[in-house]
């Protein structure tokens, strides 16, 4: 009997099963191309279409599975296609469908991107409501930022009654390995921008609360604000008790930079101020010591749990005569 019409042996059936299974990595590759692939290394980036397939091929288990599958398929074809015409015909259909799938990845991925982008406004309302409260989210408007908006990086300008008329903050769709609707926003940075009126009034409030000397100013790192029913034009003081912050910087003003004035400033902060602000301190507190000629000396107070010390940086040599980048002083309570 012609071998080309013979029934397959059990070993051949077993090998044929794995031949068809070996196409699964290609399906996985197409799935990544259509739905997107997030590459996370010192940050994250979202890729779609052929770019996503390339990235997922080299930065996922596919980098091993695809070559193994391809080698197995070639060896299988050489060994069996000549003996089984029906198997050859089915395999050709499968190969054609696979090639067609790869060709369709780009248009299909574009449809997926547009579909996801169309849901952003509702998702952003939900995100902002969860983060800042229903009162805040009730009056916002969300519009694409046409200058920065793209299919993969989606930015939206959001207006709110919390900000003065004409101002807006930005919400960005952030790449995230497990969530295609993962957002970040810069509302706090816009509302409490460094040197702005809220930051200044809140800084003055903290100076009074912690009884700082007249020549020192706390510059807080504002982490979040519960806006509630606050609206632009209301008193900033309404928000002070609803502001979560960290103290990572204190400005200090001295008449003249000398080693004595710098050491006295550091000692004053370490012994008299740090104990009262301890629950708001992080790993590092930076002192910006400025003299009347606007020269600056930097002192980083470091408490790593095991030891406490300060590193002084004097770029212009105003204190030490020559520039110093890392002058260490051990601290004691």
């Amino acid at each position: 009997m012609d071998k080309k019409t013979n029934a397959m042996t059990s070993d051949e059936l077993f090998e044929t099963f794995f031949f068809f299974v070996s196409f699964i990595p290609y399906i996985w590759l197409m799935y990544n191309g259509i739905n997107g692939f997030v590459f996370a290394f010192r940050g994250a980036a979202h890729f779609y279409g052929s770019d996503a397939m390339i990235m997922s091929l080299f930065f996922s288990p596919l980098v091993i599975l695809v070559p193994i599958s391809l080698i197995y398929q070639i060896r299988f074809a050489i060994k069996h296609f000549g003996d089984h015409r029906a198997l050859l015909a089915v395999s050709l259909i499968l190969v054609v469908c696979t090639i067609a799938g790869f060709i369709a990845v780009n248009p299909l991925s574009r449809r997926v991107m547009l579909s996801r982008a169309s849901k952003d406004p509702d998702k952003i309302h939900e995100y902002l409501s969860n983060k800042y409260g229903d009162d805040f989210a009730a009056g916002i408007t969300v519009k694409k930022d046409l200058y920065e908006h793209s299919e993969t990086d989606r930015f939206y300008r959001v207006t709110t009654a919390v900000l003065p008329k004409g101002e807006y903050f930005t919400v960005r769709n952030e790449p995230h390995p497990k969530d295609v609707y993962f957002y970040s926003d810069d509302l706090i940075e816009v509302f409490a921008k460094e040197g702005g009126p809220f930051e200044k009034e809140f800084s003055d409030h903290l100076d009074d609360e912690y009884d700082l000397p007249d020549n020192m100013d706390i510059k807080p790192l504002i982490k979040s604000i519960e806006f509630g029913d606050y609206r632009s034009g209301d008193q900033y003081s309404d928000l002070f008790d609803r502001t979560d912050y960290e103290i990572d910087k204190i400005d200090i003003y001295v008449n003249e930079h000398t080693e004595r004035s710098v050491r006295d400033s550091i000692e004053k902060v370490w012994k008299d101020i740090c104990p009262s602000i301890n629950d708001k301190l992080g790993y590092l507190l930076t002192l910006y010591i400025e003299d009347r000629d606007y020269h600056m000396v930097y002192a980083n107070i470091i408490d790593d749990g095991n030891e406490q010390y300060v590193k002084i940086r004097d770029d212009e040599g105003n204190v030490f005569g020559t520039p110093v980048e890392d002058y260490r002083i051990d601290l004691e309570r």
Side-chain angles (χ1 to χ4, degrees), residues 42-87:
R42 296 181 179 179
H46 211 152
F47 298 89
Y48 286 91
S50 55
D51 291 338
M53 288 194 294
I54 292 171
M55 293 300 293
S56 65
L57 176 60
F58 288 103
F59 297 100
S60 79
L62 289 171
V63 71
I64 298 174
L65 295 176
V66 168
I68 291 175
S69 297
L70 185 59
I71 293 171
Y72 180 80
Q73 289 158 6
I74 293 172
R75 293 182 64 183
F76 181 89
I78 294 172
K79 183 177 180 180
H80 296 293
F81 281 177
D83 297 334
H84 301 284
R85 291 178 178 175
L87 178 60

Side-chain angles (χ1 to χ4, degrees), residues 218-235:
I218 288 175
K219 299 300 181 185
L221 173 64
I222 298 171
K223 299 164 69 176
S224 66
I225 301 172
E226 295 180 17
F227 289 100
D229 58 356
Y230 174 86
R231 296 294 179 265
S232 178
D234 294 348
Q235 296 293 321

